[in-house]
Amino acid sequence: MKSSEDNDRLNKLNNDCYYLQLEKNKIEQSLAKKDFDFNPDKAAQLFREANIFFEGQIKKSYEDLIDFNKSITKDRHKYYKKRLKEIKDDLDMIEIEKKQLSSCTSL
């Protein structure tokens, strides 16, 4: 028979598993996108318009903007891959603990 503590722990593990799965799915969707949400034509047009209104005040070039965006995307993917591994490890540990709780309570 399960103790109240076992039930509480199992509920917490299930809750943790749910939220980790959600985060995992979001990361996997983000990593699956090959193209980042950046329209270079729109950015170029915006950059030209900004130069008209702020002539001489804009210090960065359009190429710098593209490079910056690529750098951010690369860093984001690096973080997501690291976080995805952590999530998978956490999910594995949760499954192990859930099985242990189930085997202990079924005796």
Side-chain angles (χ1 to χ4, degrees):
M1 192 165 158
K2 288 185 181 179
S3 72
S4 176
E5 287 178 9
D6 289 343
N7 282 333
D8 291 345
R9 182 66 185 151
L10 194 55
N11 285 337
K12 182 182 182 331
L13 291 171
N14 285 330
N15 190 50
D16 291 349
C17 186
Y18 174 79
Y19 286 105
L20 286 169
Q21 284 289 355
L22 282 178
E23 185 178 1
K24 178 180 171 266
N25 291 341
K26 286 180 183 179
I27 289 173
E28 288 174 339
Q29 287 174 358
S30 179
L31 289 173
K33 288 182 182 178
K34 296 297 179 199
D35 298 324
F36 52 93
D37 293 334
F38 182 75
N39 184 325
D41 294 332
K42 285 184 180 179
Q45 178 62 31
L46 180 62
F47 197 81
R48 283 191 297 275
E49 289 173 7
N51 268 331
I52 291 171
F53 293 112
F54 301 104
E55 188 176 342
Q57 295 179 21
I58 297 180
K59 305 285 185 205
K60 297 290 181 181
S61 70
Y62 176 70
E63 289 77 23
D64 290 335
L65 175 64
I66 298 293
D67 290 342
F68 177 71
N69 196 300
K70 286 179 181 177
S71 175
I72 288 174
T73 301
K74 182 181 175 184
D75 289 346
R76 182 182 310 123
H77 281 186
K78 184 178 172 182
Y79 167 76
Y80 280 163
K81 287 177 183 178
K82 179 182 175 208
R83 181 64 185 132
L84 190 58
K85 183 185 179 327
E86 292 170 353
I87 290 171
K88 288 178 179 180
D89 291 344
D90 289 347
L91 287 169
D92 288 344
M93 294 304 294
I94 287 172
E95 286 305 314
I96 289 169
E97 189 171 349
K98 285 170 60 175
K99 285 178 184 176
Q100 288 174 342
L101 277 173
S102 295
S103 68
C104 289
T105 57
S106 62
L107 297 176

